[in-house]
Amino acid sequence: ADPTDAIMVNNDDWLNSLKYLEFLRDYGTYFTINRMMSFESVKQRMEREAPFSFLEFNYMILQAYDFLELSRRHNAKLQLGGSDQWGNMISGVELGRRV
């Protein structure tokens, strides 16, 4: 494949083998609720008093981990997403710098 070619991967390739408690121990320490709450998309949800589930907070960690794995496995350097994904994408970059 040419380095400029897009590829499609399935994140189940790395997520399926994760053990949840080990994952949280190993990667959860790099995330704080305070940091998550600082993202504009989260602030807007809180201002609207829209429910914000624990699952959604977990999603930020999992999406960040996806980018870490894409960087490791495929040398990914760029993420594309909607403005509501900005915090998740930034978290992926930050996680890559910390581990």
Side-chain angles (χ1 to χ4, degrees), residues 30-82:
Y30 296 108
F31 299 87
T32 67
I33 298 298
N34 295 358
R35 178 70 171 132
M36 291 178 180
M37 298 293 288
S38 75
F39 292 119
E40 194 60 35
S41 60
V42 175
K43 287 181 187 178
Q44 289 174 2
R45 291 276 300 275
M46 299 303 284
E47 287 170 4
R48 290 193 317 258
E49 297 183 16
F52 204 80
S53 71
F54 181 72
L55 178 63
E56 290 173 281
F57 274 115
N58 272 266
Y59 185 77
M60 182 179 290
I61 297 171
L62 289 171
Q63 186 171 336
Y65 185 73
D66 279 347
F67 187 63
L68 176 65
E69 284 297 322
L70 289 168
S71 296
R72 289 174 172 168
R73 294 169 185 243
H74 303 286
N75 202 28
K77 303 284 185 212
L78 175 69
Q79 298 179 77
L80 300 175

Side-chain angles (χ1 to χ4, degrees), residues 23-32 61 95 98-99:
F23 173 76
L24 286 180
R25 181 196 64 222
D26 295 343
Y27 295 97
T29 58
Y30 296 108
F31 299 87
T32 67
I61 297 171
L95 180 62
R98 292 179 176 170
V99 297

Side-chain angles (χ1 to χ4, degrees), residues 4-20:
T4 61
D5 290 349
I7 61 169
M8 184 176 289
V9 298
N10 185 341
N11 64 355
D12 186 61
D13 292 344
W14 53 84
L15 294 180
N16 188 36
S17 63
L18 288 180
K19 292 182 171 57
Y20 185 66

